[in-house]
């Protein structure tokens, strides 16, 4: 039996990370695309040499990581810089995801959950997945959760939300939705268990 491939997404503050942890506890094997991407630009990461060659050594911190602030400024001033950076990072991320999936399948995983923040935005993911699970809540709930945990100003959180895929677009892409609004952790776990059963867990 082949492992089911589930794409998990949701806006910032939706509770996606909590849902992923619950799915992991139920036996799903998580593949965190964001963490893999961050690892490529961390000190000694697979993308560092190519980034230095393309953008110059000024874009690498003394510790050997991507200078995210400087890159953000460059991408803001020159939008094509973001595309150039993605051309370096995406193939590396794709190769590492494939390696992790192969290992999970070899280990007998019944369900692989891909944690993909930009699942809806990227467009290239849908064909690689069996189902898409969206964790959803009201925008004001997102703002309240993120300000509480990060100390960011509400306006800053709203700007992050505005830069992500519109909520309606995420919901339109979903095969299953967990509405994480006003739920206790126990209630959320119950919702996750119901969805997990439909995924073969």
């Amino acid at each position: 039996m082949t492992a089911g491939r589930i794409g998990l997404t949701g806006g910032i503050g939706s509770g996606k990370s909590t849902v992923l942890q619950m799915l992991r506890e139920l036996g799903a094997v998580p593949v965190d695309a964001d963490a893999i991407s961050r690892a490529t630009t961390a000190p000694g990461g697979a993308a560092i040499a190519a980034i230095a060659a393309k953008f110059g050594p000024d874009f690498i911190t003394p510790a050997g990581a991507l200078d995210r602030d400087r890159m953000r400024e460059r991408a803001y001033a020159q939008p094509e810089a973001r595309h150039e950076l993605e051309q370096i990072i995406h193939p590396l991320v794709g190769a590492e995801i494939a390696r992790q999936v192969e290992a999970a399948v070899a280990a007998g995983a019944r369900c692989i959950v891909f944690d993909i923040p930009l699942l809806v935005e990227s467009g290239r993911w849908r064909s690689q997945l069996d189902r898409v699970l969206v964790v959803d809540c009201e925008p004001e709930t997102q703002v309240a959760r993120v300000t509480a945990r990060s100390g960011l100003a509400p306006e800053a959180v709203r700007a992050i939300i505005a830069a992500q895929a519109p909520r309606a677009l995420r919901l339109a892409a979903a095969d299953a939705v967990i509405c994480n609004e006003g739920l206790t952790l126990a209630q959320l776990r119950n919702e996750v268990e119901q969805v997990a059963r439909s995924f073969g867990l």
Side-chain angles (χ1 to χ4, degrees):
M1 189 178 102
T2 57
R5 296 177 182 222
I6 310 303
L8 174 67
T9 195
I12 187 171
S14 63
K16 179 171 65 68
S17 299
T18 305
V19 168
L20 182 64
Q21 182 56 35
M22 290 175 176
L23 287 167
R24 184 202 300 260
E25 289 164 9
L26 291 165
V29 175
V31 173
D32 186 338
D34 215 23
I36 292 169
S37 179
R38 283 195 303 273
T40 68
T41 58
I48 295 301
I51 291 169
K54 179 76 182 175
F55 295 99
D58 290 351
F59 284 83
I60 307 302
T61 68
L66 169 66
D67 187 329
R68 290 181 176 278
D69 291 338
R70 190 180 285 256
M71 184 57 76
R72 201 173 291 120
E73 286 170 18
R74 167 66 68 90
Y76 188 71
Q78 301 174 12
E80 70 275 10
R82 179 192 296 270
H83 179 62
E84 289 168 349
L85 180 64
E86 286 172 351
Q87 284 184 312
I88 293 170
I89 293 173
H90 283 174
L92 295 169
V93 172
E96 176 58 19
I97 286 173
R99 191 194 66 74
Q100 291 191 16
V101 167
E102 204 172 296
V105 170
R110 285 176 298 159
C111 180
I112 301 169
V113 178
F114 297 85
D115 179 1
I116 310 169
L118 302 179
L119 189 154
V120 176
E121 292 93 325
S122 76
R124 65 193 175 89
W125 272 102
R126 192 63 185 89
S127 62
Q128 301 174 50
L129 302 167
D130 298 319
R131 310 274 296 278
V132 171
L133 171 60
V134 172
V135 185
D136 183 57
C137 65
E138 295 293 334
E140 284 312 306
T141 302
Q142 290 178 266
V143 172
R145 285 177 183 157
V146 177
T147 51
R149 79 179 182 211
S150 70
L152 283 173
E155 301 72 46
V157 181
R158 288 192 185 96
I160 293 169
I161 292 170
Q164 295 184 329
R167 183 184 181 196
L169 205 59
R170 263 199 307 272
L171 292 172
D175 295 303
V177 177
I178 290 178
C179 183
N180 186 19
E181 190 70 53
L183 300 181
T184 64
L185 270 178
Q187 289 168 329
L188 178 60
R189 186 177 299 277
N190 187 45
E191 292 281 323
V192 172
E193 285 173 355
Q194 286 184 39
V195 168
R197 275 197 291 277
S198 74
F199 293 164
L201 285 171

